[in-house]
Amino acid sequence: MNKKRMQLQDYMASEQIDVVYLDNPNTVAYFTNFESNPHERIVAYIVTQSDDFLFVPSLEKEEAREQSNVENVYTYRDEENPWGIISEKTFERIEEINLVCTDEASLTVARYHQLQEAFNTTNFEDIGPFIDQMRVVKTQDEIDKMIIAGELADEALQIGMDSLVEGITEQEVAAIIDMEMKKRGVSEMSFSTLVLFGDHAASPHGNPGERQLKQNEFVLFDLGVIYNGYASDATRTVAFGEISEKEEEIYEVVLNAQRTAQEAVKPGMRAGELDQIARQVIEDAGYGKYFNHRLGHGIGKTAHEFPSIHGSNETILEPGMCFSIEPGIYVPGEVGVRVEDCVYVTEEGCQPFTSMDKELATIYR
Ligand code: MN
Ligand code: MN
């Protein structure tokens, strides 16, 4: 029995929602196990209070039937009008539709107009917050996949460190990491692999470029892979040759903040408190103004989801929640250091998905 679908239908019954229409590929896969990348075509999961069906382009029919846990899979050919079929299949299950819910954050306006006609109502509400709430606590099965995604991220970090040599560019290192991961069966990284050298790492969202590696500077890796539809995300900063005393001090402050926060995780605490704990360590060391982003973000089917770990988030941490702990110090034009592990909350504390050593690694080559 599909527990996620039941949880959704219980909610639909309590809120008198007649139809839920979902077409964000990640959300569809979350409920149905069917992973897809439909581009402009429609892959939709449609749920009524007593039934459900999956609607896919006919070229995806076999995969959808094999992978998904949904009994009824309907298809449309490119020359057909998909909305007519959606309307027909939905009205086979329900006579009258008074309230439809969609995920407003991902539904396009064009599709919204089509759905009003297909379902013959203009009464639409947002189901997004409820689904975010469902997705925030992971099942053991989801966590098991994320553990393997984490192990692969550890491997990717090691590959990156092993590839460092004077003169290599950031892009070259990123390409080596991505290629080696592909050889290991990873079809997709969680996001574009980040490799930044020296002062370039001072911008937290910099892009790997033509910059060449010099002796005696930091290298920042931020990467993750998708494994069976679940993401990993980890950052390590390592020294290539001898770094300055100030750089070493900055590294120790970031590491201390990261570890202090990771050790403080407990079910029952506020998410915001965790951000404050890490921030306090960095402020006490005098670098507060150089930590200019939240402590972390939730992770699961995508590298960024709920809960957001920022100072004013009142969400209470529960076992099964998964998020990153990634403090950083960025001194513009000079140096950037970040250390990141993603963790899942347990009954006692938390467990990290990645286990690459966090003591400052120095590479002489
Ligand atoms: Mn990251
Ligand atoms: Mn992250």
Side-chain angles (χ1 to χ4, degrees), residues 20 26 78 109 204 221 231 281 299 311:
V20 168
N26 276 312
D78 287 336
V109 177
F221 300 95
V281 172
I299 184 166

mmCIF file of all heavy atoms in Angstrom, residues 20 26 78 109 204 221 231 281 299 311:
data_model
loop_
_atom_site.group_PDB
_atom_site.id
_atom_site.type_symbol
_atom_site.label_atom_id
_atom_site.label_comp_id
_atom_site.label_asym_id
_atom_site.label_seq_id
_atom_site.Cartn_x
_atom_site.Cartn_y
_atom_site.Cartn_z
ATOM 1 N N VAL A 20 -6.269 16.495 -6.793
ATOM 2 C CA VAL A 20 -4.932 17.093 -6.716
ATOM 3 C C VAL A 20 -4.228 16.799 -8.032
ATOM 4 O O VAL A 20 -4.201 15.648 -8.490
ATOM 5 C CB VAL A 20 -4.124 16.540 -5.521
ATOM 6 C CG1 VAL A 20 -2.656 16.941 -5.625
ATOM 7 C CG2 VAL A 20 -4.707 17.038 -4.202
ATOM 8 N N ASN A 26 9.865 16.095 -9.856
ATOM 9 C CA ASN A 26 10.341 15.615 -8.550
ATOM 10 C C ASN A 26 9.196 15.186 -7.649
ATOM 11 O O ASN A 26 9.293 14.190 -6.930
ATOM 12 C CB ASN A 26 11.123 16.716 -7.838
ATOM 13 C CG ASN A 26 12.558 16.744 -8.282
ATOM 14 O OD1 ASN A 26 13.205 15.702 -8.330
ATOM 15 N ND2 ASN A 26 13.035 17.917 -8.635
ATOM 16 N N ASP A 78 1.890 12.730 -29.197
ATOM 17 C CA ASP A 78 2.240 14.140 -29.425
ATOM 18 C C ASP A 78 1.151 14.904 -30.178
ATOM 19 O O ASP A 78 0.996 16.108 -29.975
ATOM 20 C CB ASP A 78 3.573 14.239 -30.179
ATOM 21 C CG ASP A 78 4.752 13.899 -29.282
ATOM 22 O OD1 ASP A 78 4.616 14.032 -28.047
ATOM 23 O OD2 ASP A 78 5.799 13.495 -29.804
ATOM 24 N N VAL A 109 1.376 29.174 -15.630
ATOM 25 C CA VAL A 109 0.103 29.871 -15.818
ATOM 26 C C VAL A 109 -0.661 29.251 -16.997
ATOM 27 O O VAL A 109 -1.879 29.076 -16.939
ATOM 28 C CB VAL A 109 0.345 31.377 -16.036
ATOM 29 C CG1 VAL A 109 -0.971 32.085 -16.316
ATOM 30 C CG2 VAL A 109 1.008 31.989 -14.821
ATOM 31 N N PRO A 204 30.654 32.929 -2.476
ATOM 32 C CA PRO A 204 30.073 31.622 -2.121
ATOM 33 C C PRO A 204 29.438 30.915 -3.321
ATOM 34 O O PRO A 204 29.376 29.694 -3.341
ATOM 35 C CB PRO A 204 29.008 31.966 -1.085
ATOM 36 C CG PRO A 204 29.346 33.314 -0.577
ATOM 37 C CD PRO A 204 30.108 34.007 -1.658
ATOM 38 N N PHE A 221 35.910 22.598 -2.755
ATOM 39 C CA PHE A 221 35.064 21.703 -3.546
ATOM 40 C C PHE A 221 33.662 21.719 -2.955
ATOM 41 O O PHE A 221 33.503 21.539 -1.736
ATOM 42 C CB PHE A 221 35.532 20.243 -3.452
ATOM 43 C CG PHE A 221 36.925 19.995 -3.940
ATOM 44 C CD1 PHE A 221 37.988 19.988 -3.050
ATOM 45 C CD2 PHE A 221 37.170 19.740 -5.283
ATOM 46 C CE1 PHE A 221 39.280 19.737 -3.493
ATOM 47 C CE2 PHE A 221 38.453 19.489 -5.737
ATOM 48 C CZ PHE A 221 39.520 19.490 -4.835
ATOM 49 N N ALA A 231 19.564 13.191 -3.559
ATOM 50 C CA ALA A 231 20.747 14.032 -3.715
ATOM 51 C C ALA A 231 21.695 13.967 -2.528
ATOM 52 O O ALA A 231 21.284 13.711 -1.389
ATOM 53 C CB ALA A 231 20.305 15.486 -3.904
ATOM 54 N N VAL A 281 29.833 31.032 17.076
ATOM 55 C CA VAL A 281 31.246 30.621 17.052
ATOM 56 C C VAL A 281 32.034 31.559 16.124
ATOM 57 O O VAL A 281 33.132 32.019 16.457
ATOM 58 C CB VAL A 281 31.381 29.159 16.559
ATOM 59 C CG1 VAL A 281 32.843 28.775 16.348
ATOM 60 C CG2 VAL A 281 30.709 28.192 17.534
ATOM 61 N N ILE A 299 17.521 18.830 2.274
ATOM 62 C CA ILE A 299 17.971 18.077 1.101
ATOM 63 C C ILE A 299 17.141 16.806 1.004
ATOM 64 O O ILE A 299 16.663 16.297 2.031
ATOM 65 C CB ILE A 299 19.494 17.794 1.188
ATOM 66 C CG1 ILE A 299 19.986 17.078 -0.087
ATOM 67 C CG2 ILE A 299 19.833 16.980 2.436
ATOM 68 C CD1 ILE A 299 21.500 17.080 -0.218
ATOM 69 N N GLY A 311 18.264 31.765 10.912
ATOM 70 C CA GLY A 311 18.060 32.183 12.293
ATOM 71 C C GLY A 311 16.630 32.322 12.754
ATOM 72 O O GLY A 311 16.323 32.132 13.928
#
